[in-house]
Amino acid sequence: MSWIVRESGFDPERIAHHGNKFMIGNGVLGYRGTLEEFGKSELTATIVAGLYDKVGDKWREPVNAPNGLATTVDWEGKPLSVLKAGPRVEADGNGGGPELVAHEQSLDLRRALHQRRSVFLMADGTEVTITSERFCSAVRSELIVCRIAVESSRDGALTIVTGIDGDVWDINGPHLERMESESDATGEVVLLTAWTQELGVPVTVAETADIVGEGRGELLREETSIRRRIHINSRAGEPVELVKYVAIFTGQDGAPEEDVRASAVQSVSEARQLGYDRLLLEHAERWERKWEASDMKVEGDDEAQLALRYSMYQLHIIAPDRSERVSIPARGLSGQVYKGAVFWDTEMFMLPFFLHTEPEVARNLMMYRVHTLDGAKRKAAEYGYDGAFYAWESQETGDDACTLFNVNDVFTGRPMRTYFRDKQVHISADVAYGIWQYYAFTGDVSLLLDGGAEVAWECAKFFYSYGYFNPRKQRYEILDVTGPDEYHERVNNNAFTNRLVKECLRIALDVMGILRTHNPRRYEALAAGSSVSPEQIRDMHDRLYVPQPDVETGLIEQFDRYYALEDVSLPDLKARMLHPHEYLGGGNGPATTTRILKQADVVLMLHLFKGDYDRSVKQMNWAYYEPRTEHGSSLSACIYAMVAADTGSPDWGYPYFMRTATIDLTGESKQYVGDLYIGGTHPAANGGAWMAAILGFAGLRYDGLKAALRPALPSAWQAMEFPVRLRGGSYRIRISREEVSIAAHSDNPTAMRFIVGDRELAVAPGQDVCVPYEVD
Ligand code: BGC
């Protein structure tokens, strides 16, 4: 039951939200949850991971490929479309309709299958039902398969128009030019090829279809589409079935256009040979393995159960499980929002899920940072710094897609200067942190030897050049930065940034040590070519200022002089807004002069370095900062959930967890900043939901040597159970209100040390242990 996400009824206002909610994908393609009859106005999109384009001086963003699923169905000349349905009887008493009498859209999370059922009632009482099912093959990365069935309650004439629609939704497009349509030699396959504007990359969509018992129909070629019109005599109670096999190939890896077309034709022809059922079977089997590695069970809370599964589903459909050249954008593959760019969201909010369940994906995500190191070096040089300053908004080359004016003022329409690109320097520390996490979790040095060590070293060099040595205080400081709270730009000594920079310096020294052992020549080359010595990095590490808890209050000041800002309540601040989409930060935003923060900042630091702070410090800072946090970013609530659990108050954390876990189910999130549309899916929140459950409520903490469990279950939860992978070993952990049990897979390479409460035990391969435990 908790595997199905379903919505009944059709509401045109929810088209955009459902497009996100019902997405399917396979890490290479993302297909929005729109209906077959939809077009660009309904935001239909097929996003190809890692393919970007820029038109003129507009924002560079992902390319939306032609829609290979485009299909319309008419019954005796009347369109069966949710968009065109109306009352069956018109005001003048004449026959109207078709009337939409039932409509349902759903996702089967277990098999990553989108389903739809719409029942239309014709003026004469005939009922026509359209059902469809579609999936983005988890096995064949280029393939989308869709089966549509139409069944009528009496005999009649059906017209199906199906093919490829190149007139696509774009935010800063059009990205595709010179559309060429053709059908292959057999006439069975239709193709649409177009080229991106900036780099001339060919994009081909091929489609072939099985239509039970009918011919190929008549070919309709228009400037931006190629379709077939098929007339069918439908017989009462006998469904007419159409199966579409759609392949999308591009030249993004340099393949010439002939090969791109040929691959597309071959793919759909093979798929058609195999047929829908076999393709679905292999796809479902692959998904079964994904769930085996990740599915979590929550007893006593069905809503949380479904929301958690859904969050994991969203992460799985965008996970680059076969490429280390792409990472996960902040809006996944749900469209062109946020320029399809990769932010710190990936390392800090999504990586933990993959580290614990599919470390191979985690490695790909971090290798993406290795491949984009040159872009990060270019950015550092551009600003006059040494080392690697990673892009705030990274695309395929690692050059920064973030503009200096990233938000427009809602009142004047004028661009506002923002300092995300220039001052959110913590991004380089986040990347180094991710590299280290991968190593700590897997023990696999290959990432470090394949460039990860260099990444960490270059990030440390960047901070050495960015940092300021305060001679009076005899300490290093990090000045003029923007921390996670984007409403306060260009501040000094942001506690989070300074602490993470310190960690980055430590990581750089450690990975250089590892490199020296495993590849002395590479180490020598890196050290010799470096303007900074390990001793200097060590010195900066040891003398870097990190704001500490006040001895009396326990509070950590978010940045220098934060307390000097006006202490206004969040409702009062909101009451000052002059426009619902007004940007709260920037030069003269309402929050800028106040202590209101956009998202978890100090509290995020307390989560990342939880071992460094005692419970009362965490409680004090949580209680102080939470009422002052707008949670204006989807990256915020999960952090408060985790720190609440960490301090033994899971029920305080629970609403923040649920808010995070349901964000893409409810669609309740900020849609505009200034005049900028920011809707789409929220992978950081999806990862945050997983983190809040496993790292928060289960209290799992792995430091590369031992795994500790400090459960703090919300009251409604009777038990939770989940798999994790640590250092190549697989474990199943079950936490009830009385005991913790750990089952180690018999193939595990070694025993693992677990700490549960105050007990420490070694869990050998194949062993199953159970430890009584009182949940807080
Ligand atoms: C948040 C950033 C985040 C970005 C992309 C912004 O609203 O403040 O922390 O990286 O969205 O999700």
Side-chain angles (χ1 to χ4, degrees):
M1 129 97 196
S2 300
W3 286 99
I4 307 288
V5 171
R6 181 176 284 125
E7 282 286 343
S8 297
F10 173 69
D11 175 1
E13 297 293 313
R14 292 177 79 76
I15 290 177
H17 164 49
H18 286 176
N20 300 320
K21 179 168 173 171
F22 293 105
M23 264 200 64
I24 53 170
N26 61 13
V28 173
L29 300 174
Y31 191 86
R32 285 176 63 78
T34 48
L35 302 178
E36 290 74 16
E37 62 266 41
F38 287 0
K40 69 194 275 187
S41 320
E42 289 74 40
L43 316 187
T44 301
T46 317
I47 299 296
V48 183
L51 181 65
Y52 297 90
D53 182 61
K54 183 171 164 71
V55 178
D57 56 6
K58 292 196 262 186
W59 282 0
R60 206 157 181 277
E61 63 189 15
V63 172
N64 181 6
N67 176 18
L69 299 191
T71 304
T72 57
V73 181
D74 283 13
W75 170 262
E76 313 224 302
K78 292 265 188 185
L80 303 179
S81 160
V82 294
L83 299 170
K84 295 181 183 155
R88 191 157 64 100
V89 179
E90 286 177 347
D92 61 7
N94 290 328
E99 186 178 338
L100 184 66
V101 288
H103 177 71
E104 201 174 84
Q105 200 176 354
S106 59
L107 264 184
D108 169 352
L109 303 178
R110 191 192 279 274
R111 294 183 295 162
L113 191 65
H114 175 277
Q115 293 167 316
R116 166 267 173 105
R117 180 170 181 274
S118 310
V119 183
F120 297 91
L121 192 58
M122 313 309 292
D124 65 356
T126 309
E127 231 181 51
V128 190
T129 304
I130 300 187
T131 51
S132 78
E133 253 187 23
R134 73 168 84 114
F135 58 94
C136 255
S137 170
V139 178
R140 297 157 203 267
S141 61
E142 72 287 354
L143 192 70
I144 310 179
V145 191
C146 175
R147 177 165 69 188
I148 303 172
V150 187
E151 186 177 333
S152 54
S153 62
R154 72 162 172 88
D155 294 357
L158 270 183
T159 307
I160 299 180
V161 177
T162 189
I164 309 168
D165 179 8
D167 187 19
V168 297
W169 167 48
D170 276 318
I171 298 181
N172 292 290
H175 294 293
L176 294 174
E177 54 179 5
R178 286 199 289 131
M179 297 226 174
E180 281 180 11
S181 64
E182 63 198 300
S183 67
D184 77 333
T186 63
E188 298 280 317
V189 179
V190 293
L191 288 103
L192 197 66
T193 300
W195 286 261
T196 61
Q197 297 233 21
E198 183 189 15
L199 301 171
V201 177
V203 177
T204 292
V205 178
E207 182 253 29
T208 189
D210 273 330
I211 301 175
V212 178
E214 299 289 334
R216 309 299 315 153
E218 138 208 19
L219 207 56
L220 308 174
R221 289 168 74 155
E222 285 169 14
E223 212 180 312
T224 57
S225 69
I226 179 162
R227 304 173 213 243
R228 280 184 227 96
R229 186 190 289 128
I230 308 152
H231 297 289
I232 302 165
N233 290 320
S234 167
R235 303 183 66 85
E238 289 178 20
V240 170
E241 200 178 275
L242 165 76
V243 181
K244 283 169 71 78
Y245 306 89
V246 175
I248 295 113
F249 274 90
T250 78
Q252 70 195 117
D253 296 329
E257 92 190 42
E258 315 78 68
D259 293 5
V260 170
R261 288 183 216 236
S263 307
V265 173
Q266 195 188 340
S267 165
V268 290
S269 308
E270 266 174 32
R272 191 165 167 218
Q273 285 279 313
L274 288 165
Y276 186 87
D277 292 339
R278 279 185 58 187
L279 292 168
L280 177 58
L281 192 71
E282 64 175 26
H283 165 78
E285 277 170 5
R286 185 65 63 89
W287 269 88
E288 206 51 50
R289 293 214 290 280
K290 289 183 199 289
W291 288 120
E292 265 165 33
S294 58
D295 186 35
M296 176 187 329
K297 297 195 176 63
V298 176
E299 289 167 30
D301 189 345
D302 288 347
E303 212 189 326
Q305 169 74 76
L306 183 64
L308 273 167
R309 281 208 176 114
Y310 180 73
S311 301
M312 290 187 275
Y313 166 85
Q314 281 288 355
L315 290 169
H316 281 309
I317 63 171
I318 53 178
D321 56 0
R322 54 206 112 190
S323 169
E324 49 178 59
R325 294 277 169 180
V326 293
S327 180
I328 307 181
R331 290 289 180 265
L333 299 176
S334 66
Q336 295 162 326
V337 166
Y338 272 154
K339 310 177 190 107
V342 177
F343 293 64
W344 69 312
D345 305 30
T346 315
E347 280 75 17
M348 307 313 269
F349 293 80
M350 303 172 214
L351 188 69
F353 168 73
F354 295 110
L355 282 174
H356 288 82
T357 59
E358 284 182 284
E360 310 74 30
V361 174
R363 189 178 194 283
N364 285 346
L365 293 172
M366 295 323 304
M367 279 306 291
Y368 164 80
R369 295 299 192 179
V370 172
H371 293 304
T372 49
L373 176 61
D374 283 347
K377 286 184 178 172
R378 283 192 289 274
K379 179 174 168 189
E382 175 196 333
Y383 283 98
Y385 297 110
D386 201 1
F389 182 5
Y390 271 87
W392 182 244
E393 299 185 9
S394 184
Q395 298 175 333
E396 78 278 42
T397 61
D399 290 291
D400 208 330
C402 189
T403 62
L404 299 183
F405 303 88
N406 229 31
V407 178
N408 281 347
D409 178 36
V410 277
F411 304 107
T412 60
R414 290 183 185 142
M416 293 165 67
R417 180 67 163 101
T418 48
Y419 291 90
F420 311 144
R421 184 190 203 271
D422 343 42
K423 298 297 170 191
Q424 251 181 104
V425 297
H426 67 80
I427 179 67
S428 284
D430 305 326
V431 169
Y433 181 80
I435 299 266
W436 182 260
Q437 289 288 303
Y438 174 79
Y439 169 65
F441 267 76
T442 59
D444 171 14
V445 288
S446 74
L447 173 72
L448 303 181
L449 304 181
D450 289 349
E454 194 164 340
V455 165
W457 181 246
E458 294 297 331
C459 290
K461 278 167 61 185
F462 165 67
F463 288 118
Y464 190 81
S465 66
Y466 194 91
Y468 160 71
F469 185 73
N470 183 329
R472 216 166 50 77
K473 297 191 172 163
Q474 285 293 301
R475 67 186 192 191
Y476 287 90
E477 300 184 352
I478 313 273
L479 307 181
D480 196 9
V481 302
T482 303
D485 163 23
E486 293 182 340
Y487 292 160
H488 296 97
E489 298 182 311
R490 311 199 66 168
V491 301
N492 294 338
N493 293 316
N494 167 246
F496 167 89
T497 303
N498 288 25
R499 181 64 188 88
L500 212 67
V501 169
K502 191 176 169 81
E503 187 69 359
C504 169
L505 302 174
R506 195 274 303 158
I507 291 167
L509 291 167
D510 284 357
V511 299
M512 285 296 266
I514 294 169
L515 188 63
R516 186 179 214 161
T517 312
H518 287 84
N519 189 343
R521 281 184 39 204
R522 186 81 206 100
Y523 169 82
E524 292 304 339
L526 203 56
S530 178
S531 50
V532 184
S533 68
E535 291 68 38
Q536 287 169 304
I537 297 289
R538 162 80 52 209
D539 182 53
M540 181 173 182
H541 170 271
D542 293 349
R543 294 204 278 168
L544 177 59
Y545 166 58
V546 177
Q548 293 300 312
D550 179 84
V551 277
E552 270 165 31
T553 62
L555 291 182
I556 300 168
E557 192 172 20
Q558 190 176 298
F559 50 81
D560 290 353
R561 301 197 52 75
Y562 167 81
Y563 295 138
L565 297 172
E566 185 196 2
D567 200 10
V568 63
S569 76
L570 189 56
D572 285 350
L573 181 97
K574 293 227 160 145
R576 293 177 187 173
M577 288 172 73
L578 302 174
H579 186 288
H581 300 154
E582 185 174 358
Y583 183 54
L584 295 182
N588 62 352
T592 307
T593 53
T594 75
R595 292 188 210 175
I596 297 296
L597 42 144
K598 180 176 181 187
Q599 64 202 86
D601 195 308
V602 166
V603 175
L604 174 56
M605 177 180 80
L606 299 178
H607 155 65
L608 293 176
F609 302 99
K610 48 169 74 104
D612 295 357
Y613 302 96
D614 62 32
R615 182 185 280 212
S616 73
V617 165
K618 292 175 193 165
Q619 280 167 334
M620 294 307 294
N621 284 279
W622 196 104
Y624 180 83
Y625 283 108
E626 200 292 324
R628 294 171 174 81
T629 305
E630 188 220 0
H631 299 296
S633 157
S634 62
L635 280 55
S636 191
C638 60
I639 303 299
Y640 281 91
M642 275 190 284
V643 176
D646 185 28
T647 58
S649 305
D651 287 334
W652 279 46
Y654 184 78
Y656 299 90
F657 155 74
M658 279 308 275
R659 182 165 162 183
T660 305
T662 57
I663 186 166
D664 290 327
L665 288 169
T666 59
E668 279 162 21
S669 64
K670 225 183 236 189
Q671 300 292 305
Y672 283 92
V673 170
D675 65 354
L676 181 68
Y677 174 65
I678 58 164
T681 56
H682 298 82
N686 305 143
W690 181 92
M691 288 202 289
I694 304 287
L695 310 184
F697 300 140
L700 176 65
R701 191 160 133 209
Y702 182 64
D703 63 5
L705 290 172
K706 53 189 183 324
L709 284 158
R710 276 195 40 216
L713 300 188
S715 315
W717 294 21
Q718 292 314 311
M720 64 187 293
E721 191 178 329
F722 54 91
V724 282
R725 275 181 55 195
L726 305 169
R727 290 262 163 166
S730 301
Y731 303 87
R732 263 205 99 68
I733 297 173
R734 184 183 155 81
I735 297 167
S736 72
R737 302 200 80 84
E738 301 83 36
E739 58 189 27
V740 170
S741 51
I742 304 161
H745 200 281
S746 52
D747 292 344
N748 285 355
T750 51
M752 170 68 64
R753 277 166 63 206
F754 276 89
I755 300 175
V756 182
D758 48 15
R759 293 200 36 195
E760 183 164 342
L761 36 130
V763 184
Q767 210 186 348
D768 210 335
V769 299
C770 190
V771 187
Y773 182 80
E774 285 271 317
V775 168
D776 273 355

